[in-house]
Amino acid sequence: MSEHPRPLLLDVDTGVDDAVAITLASRLERHKLVALTTVAGNVPIEYSTDSTLRVVDWLGLDVPVYRGMSRPLVAPLATAREHHGYTGLGSWTPPEAHSRIERATAPEAIVQTVRANEGNIALAFVGPLTNLAVALALEPRLPEMVSKLVIMGGAFFSRGNMTDLAEFNIYVDPEAAALVARAGFDALWVGLDATRQTQLTADDWKALADADEPAEVLVREVMRRSFEEVGRSGFPLHDPLAVALVEEPEIATTRRGAVRVSLEHGSRGETRVGAVAVPDVEHGVADQVNVQRFFRLFGKVCPRLTKD
Ligand code: BDR
Ligand code: CA
């Protein structure tokens, strides 16, 4: 561990790849995971929170978990249980958690954690952006107070996964995403364009068959349903890539510009990066991923999947 790791708050809608992202976030050298906040997304809030607590206990982490928004700002909640299973952890049921939900809500915890670590904290959001939009309403200075914001969301240069144009996290709460895009952050948006380059293949999954280390067992078990029951050939490591880019931004090239989120009927949730007009702010959007370098970092979770 480097001498002064930077605090990291991770917001999740656990979620198969969220569970893997929590694991990676807990094993970084330059960042220390100090808080987990949960949101409704892949599964309803009760399930994303309970699954997060179970993952925390499974990994033996001492990280507070704050429950967040139970629905998007405007739209009704759309879940992705067909991909993540009923509870969010595929077909895996880790032991019931002993850790408990903290008293503060997620938006309050985001504000408090940022205030306590002003200028030094990194934030990563890998679910719908509802908690961040509410936190911004509580503390509009957040953009000046954080050192880094990485968002898994969007489909900027390639097709979406909810509609042809929209990616899941943005589609679920486009109003929140539009607010965040205009808030004044210089964020790094990690869309499907980048995350689809990081496939954990069926062969990778089989290589974990006799794993017994908790992190490798977690990866194997959360993905069992996708590979065994659904018969997928690969699983993109969406949320882990966002966490990896908190630690090592050089893993991906970026394009820069203003990020716009469509709220229009017909293109709702579409994300674009383009020319900056006053008072727009510039963001980065991940583009080409150095996959080998990503998997080298991912070796902290699954040493046997390092692709050298
Ligand atoms: C994103 O949507 C969710 O289903 C995943 O957890 C990831 O955050 C990918 O579109
Ligand atoms: Ca997610």
Side-chain angles (χ1 to χ4, degrees):
M1 174 121 0
S2 64
E3 222 175 306
H4 293 296
R6 197 165 257 192
L8 166 66
L9 178 149
L10 176 62
D11 185 271
V12 290
D13 61 332
T14 309
V16 168
D17 56 326
D18 303 71
V20 181
I22 294 169
T23 313
L24 180 59
S26 71
R27 293 179 170 209
L28 302 175
E29 281 177 19
R30 300 180 199 156
H31 292 85
K32 179 177 165 40
L33 183 61
V34 295
L36 285 162
T37 51
T38 65
V39 69
N42 286 321
V43 290
I45 190 70
E46 298 76 17
Y47 290 89
S48 64
T49 307
D50 182 61
S51 291
T52 300
L53 288 165
R54 287 177 193 245
V55 166
V56 163
D57 279 12
W58 177 261
L59 296 169
L61 305 179
D62 182 16
V63 178
V65 175
Y66 301 89
R67 182 165 64 190
M69 298 296 285
S70 60
R71 60 168 178 77
L73 295 184
V74 176
L77 176 66
T79 63
R81 278 180 153 150
E82 66 282 18
H83 296 299
H84 297 271
Y86 195 78
T87 66
L89 297 177
S91 54
W92 188 43
T93 312
E96 206 173 310
H98 295 296
S99 294
R100 293 280 165 248
I101 306 166
E102 300 292 324
R103 279 174 70 91
T105 64
E108 290 169 322
I110 292 166
V111 172
Q112 284 164 10
T113 310
V114 171
R115 282 183 181 155
N117 298 280
E118 187 167 346
N120 192 36
I121 185 145
L123 305 180
F125 281 73
V126 298
L129 290 164
T130 323
N131 285 333
L132 186 52
V134 175
L136 271 166
L138 291 171
E139 175 51 278
R141 288 181 52 250
L142 283 183
E144 307 153 31
M145 299 168 81
V146 304
S147 79
K148 201 181 279 194
L149 170 63
V150 177
I151 293 166
M152 191 283 127
F156 293 85
F157 324 116
S158 55
R159 74 188 153 74
N161 57 1
M162 282 302 278
T163 68
D164 272 356
L165 299 174
E167 178 277 333
F168 178 79
N169 289 338
I170 307 299
Y171 179 87
V172 170
D173 199 342
E175 278 80 11
L179 276 167
V180 169
R182 290 193 308 261
F185 292 108
D186 175 355
L188 173 61
W189 298 69
V190 186
L192 297 175
D193 328 287
T195 62
R196 283 192 181 116
Q197 297 169 51
T198 61
Q199 298 282 335
L200 191 135
T201 66
D203 284 344
D204 293 333
W205 183 72
K206 285 183 196 140
L208 299 173
D210 61 354
D212 56 9
E213 199 276 328
E216 287 193 322
V217 172
L218 178 147
V219 175
R220 182 185 71 215
E221 295 307 320
V222 282
M223 297 206 175
R224 181 177 295 284
R225 177 177 172 275
S226 298
F227 287 113
E228 260 183 11
E229 293 172 35
V230 182
R232 292 176 70 145
S233 58
F235 199 106
L237 295 168
H238 305 289
D239 297 348
L241 177 62
V243 168
L245 288 169
V246 173
E247 180 83 348
E248 286 182 42
E250 308 79 17
I251 285 176
T253 62
T254 50
R255 300 198 206 178
R256 293 198 55 83
V259 165
R260 295 196 179 82
V261 179
S262 171
L263 303 177
E264 301 296 319
H265 180 72
S267 61
R268 206 172 146 72
E270 180 185 19
T271 43
R272 285 173 180 259
V273 55
V276 181
V278 178
D280 279 345
V281 274
E282 245 194 15
H283 296 260
V285 173
D287 189 1
Q288 292 302 312
V289 178
N290 182 333
V291 175
Q292 200 172 330
R293 189 161 170 183
F294 166 74
F295 273 99
R296 206 176 302 141
L297 182 60
F298 194 69
K300 294 194 178 299
V301 174
C302 293
R304 66 187 80 193
L305 298 186
T306 304
K307 297 189 181 185
D308 269 332

